[in-house]
């Protein structure tokens, strides 16, 4: 096997790099639907995304009118956990609420 990081004698070296890259962040999006009660969406935003009641109402109404909106921005693990927790809670209550995570560009 030839390695791209080896010299002709097969020696390898470790390259030092001091820059630390920040992890890509993921947006958790709420999608609108016709059946999930507004109060449930507001509760989700307060409980899982730590929004105030006023913030939660504004975000819920924006999703209701525009089709989708950002509930919060997190590292990938936390975003995926929020998606799973909120989806499970919604299904438990019989609501079709959809929540997804997508990476921020850049
Ligand atoms: N459109 C829903 C209703 O009129 C409310 C709603 C808002 C549902 C946001 C989902 O992500 C959502 N009851």
């Amino acid at each position: 096997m030839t390695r791209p990081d080896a010299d002709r004698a097969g020696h390898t070296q470790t390259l030092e790099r001091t820059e630390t890259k920040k992890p890509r962040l993921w947006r958790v999006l709420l999608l609108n639907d016709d059946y999930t009660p507004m109060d449930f969406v507001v509760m989700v935003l307060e409980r899982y995304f730590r929004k105030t009641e006023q913030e939660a109402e504004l975000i819920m109404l924006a999703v209701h009118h525009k089709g989708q909106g950002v509930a919060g921005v997190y590292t990938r693990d936390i975003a995926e956990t929020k998606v799973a927790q909120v989806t499970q809670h919604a299904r438990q209550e019989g609501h079709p609420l959809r929540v997804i995570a997508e990476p921020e560009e850049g």
Side-chain angles (χ1 to χ4, degrees):
M1 265 296 275
T2 58
R3 295 172 50 139
D5 56 341
D7 65 16
R8 281 180 297 159
H11 302 132
T12 60
Q13 281 186 297
T14 303
L15 293 172
E16 221 175 281
R17 213 182 53 111
T18 50
E19 180 197 353
T20 311
K21 287 202 195 145
K22 298 204 184 77
R24 183 182 287 268
L25 294 177
W26 291 59
R27 284 188 284 261
V28 177
L29 301 179
L30 291 177
L31 308 185
N32 189 36
D33 67 74
D34 291 340
Y35 304 103
T36 303
M38 290 180 170
D39 284 354
F40 182 82
V41 179
V42 170
M43 178 280 294
V44 159
L45 285 160
E46 290 173 349
R47 185 187 295 189
Y48 295 95
F49 301 97
R50 300 178 151 277
K51 304 301 184 188
T52 65
E53 185 176 9
Q54 291 93 325
E55 289 171 331
E57 280 170 1
L58 286 173
I59 294 168
M60 182 280 294
L61 284 175
V63 175
H64 176 71
H65 290 297
K66 297 180 193 167
Q68 64 176 53
V70 179
V73 179
Y74 307 95
T75 55
R76 184 178 186 170
D77 270 17
I78 293 176
E80 286 174 349
T81 300
K82 304 260 182 213
V83 167
Q85 288 173 334
V86 172
T87 301
Q88 183 185 354
H89 194 155
R91 294 304 171 273
Q92 219 158 59
E93 303 289 324
H95 304 315
L97 180 64
R98 282 168 302 156
V99 192
I100 61 173
E102 66 171 26
E104 286 194 318
E105 54 286 318

